[in-house]
Amino acid sequence: MKKALTVLSLALLGQASAATITVWSHFGDAELGWLRTQAAQFKAKTGHTVNLVTVPFDQIPDKLIQSAPKGQGPDLVTTLPQDRLGQLAAAGVIEPMDKYVTSRTDYDKTGLNAMTYQGKLFGIPMFAEAVAVVYNKKLVATAPTNWTQFLAAAQKNTGSGKFGYLADLSNAYMQYGIISAYGGYVFKNNSGTLNVKDVGLANTGADKASAFLNDLRYKYNLVPEGVDGGAAKSAFVDGRLAMFLTGPWDMGDIKKAGIDYGIATFPTPPGASGKWSPFVGVQGTMMNAYSKQKAVAAQFAKQISASDAQVAFNKAGGRIPVSLSARTKLKTDPVVVGFGKSISAGTPMPNVPQMGAVWSPWSSAIAQSVQKANQNYSQILDKAVQEINSNIK
């Protein structure tokens, strides 16, 4: 009788300690299936239930801000990009996760930096994306490792309806790696805190970067006027383009076209003070600051960002893991390896709300810089930064 009571007591204790957490996610199809599997595994391992709720991607931030203080929001959101992190942290609806993430050695540092706001980790990074040079091995056998080799390969394949290198030169996001290499920056990074009063998009390095982008069109005659990402991809899948700058989002069409491709980082541009470092977009799992199950929520967040889970996630949707050991396990996947190197070499897009004041004037300035040869880059960029500074409250 005494033994039976002990067993009953243990069972009741187990039921009392089991928790239910709610997770909002925008995932669909195979990725949602992966998340359901993770939830089932979590329950089998811990006894805790994960209630999954699908919320449209663009609605998550506003819904979280509105519902969290009322105790109606989720415990976790998976996933949101770092460019919404500053807004959510400033609103006080996401929880710093430093005390839950005690080991960080398996996370790509770029991913961790993207999820850090004012020195605190506000999300566990899950996956990332950045641009890289995708090349046709039939036209370029091995990736050029320096600018001289790159230019020679590009010029060799230019002419008679074919192109050696194409990129959307007017796209500020796509070309940030060039700007960064020459010493330009959006906001000065001071040990993980971005100084929004220090905009480096019109410094000497930024001027040199715009001149180089202009040279790609008018000096080296590689990128004709009017070329955007769609035109570049079309030429590549048709086999008429040797190298182009793009991201993981185009790899599905490239694979369908049967192109034997490779992926590499862009070489250090001529006269640059640093290496090419493209913008990196990172999405991560964030915790509701008002959650009453923070320890359990953190446990699930860490599970889905762990190595084996990230491998399975990649198999489900093709995302590039932030887990370094997951990338190692996926070392036979050229997309993971190629873009993984680009991500590790990259710079996280600023995660502060003030970034919203940057895009329009900056994008217009970059586009203007490549509209005709030998522009007054300093004048164009100075005007853009003046507008940016006036827009930042």
Side-chain angles (χ1 to χ4, degrees), residues 8-298:
L8 179 62
S9 297
L10 288 172
L12 290 172
L13 181 63
Q15 290 174 5
S17 63
T20 297
I21 61 169
T22 297
V23 177
W24 283 2
S25 180
H26 57 86
F27 295 161
D29 301 327
E31 290 182 342
L32 182 57
W34 168 84
L35 190 58
R36 286 174 177 150
T37 299
Q38 289 295 315
Q41 291 175 354
F42 187 70
K43 183 169 185 177
K45 182 170 63 176
T46 66
H48 303 308
T49 299
V50 179
N51 177 31
L52 299 177
V53 179
T54 299
V55 180
F57 177 75
D58 59 347
Q59 294 181 20
I60 291 177
D62 289 341
K63 283 182 176 289
L64 184 62
I65 290 171
Q66 293 164 8
S67 63
K70 301 174 184 176
Q72 300 170 350
D75 297 282
L76 290 175
V77 171
T78 188
T79 55
L80 281 175
Q82 86 261 27
D83 63 357
R84 304 310 295 265
L85 189 148
Q87 172 198 13
L88 297 172
V93 296
I94 53 176
E95 179 79 3
M97 301 184 77
D98 300 89
K99 67 179 179 181
Y100 301 108
V101 187
T102 53
S103 176
R104 304 185 184 186
T105 55
D106 190 44
Y107 298 117
D108 188 310
K109 289 183 180 179
T110 305
L112 288 171
N113 290 340
M115 290 288 122
T116 300
Y117 178 73
Q118 295 186 343
K120 295 180 180 179
L121 185 70
F122 276 96
I124 299 181
M126 281 269 289
F127 58 89
E129 64 182 21
V131 298
V133 176
V134 181
Y135 61 97
N136 184 334
K137 290 185 177 181
K138 186 177 178 180
L139 302 175
V140 180
T142 57
T145 57
N146 59 53
W147 171 245
T148 301
Q149 294 174 358
F150 187 93
L151 179 60
Q155 289 181 331
K156 178 183 176 181
N157 286 283
T158 297
S160 302
K162 294 186 177 181
F163 305 93
Y165 176 70
L166 293 179
D168 187 347
L169 299 180
S170 65
N171 187 311
Y173 165 82
M174 297 290 288
Q175 301 304 333
Y176 182 76
I178 300 293
I179 295 164
S180 178
Y182 282 102
Y185 54 86
V186 180
F187 300 123
K188 190 70 172 178
N189 190 327
N190 298 318
S191 302
T193 298
L194 298 177
N195 181 2
V196 299
K197 299 296 185 182
D198 186 346
V199 179
L201 295 176
N203 62 17
T204 301
D207 291 349
K208 290 179 179 178
S210 283
F212 174 71
L213 293 175
N214 190 281
D215 284 347
L216 287 173
R217 173 162 292 161
Y218 298 106
K219 178 181 177 180
Y220 302 117
N221 298 312
L222 295 177
V223 185
E225 294 178 38
V227 170
D228 60 11
K233 182 177 75 170
S234 178
F236 193 81
V237 298
D238 287 345
R240 296 181 292 111
L241 171 61
M243 302 179 287
F244 86 121
L245 191 72
T246 191
W249 49 83
D250 277 338
M251 295 313 299
D253 289 335
I254 290 169
K255 289 177 180 179
K256 286 178 186 175
I259 301 292
D260 184 12
Y261 65 87
I263 303 170
T265 54
F266 193 92
T268 301
S273 57
K275 292 185 177 181
W276 179 77
S277 183
F279 262 156
V280 179
V282 181
Q283 292 200 29
T285 301
M286 301 177 193
M287 183 189 296
N288 186 344
Y290 294 87
S291 169
K292 296 179 181 178
Q293 299 288 351
K294 290 177 182 175
V296 176

Side-chain angles (χ1 to χ4, degrees), residues 343-363:
I343 290 163
S344 295
T347 301
M349 275 193 298
N351 58 16
V352 292
Q354 290 85 353
M355 189 63 191
V358 174
W359 284 115
S360 181
W362 181 35
S363 297

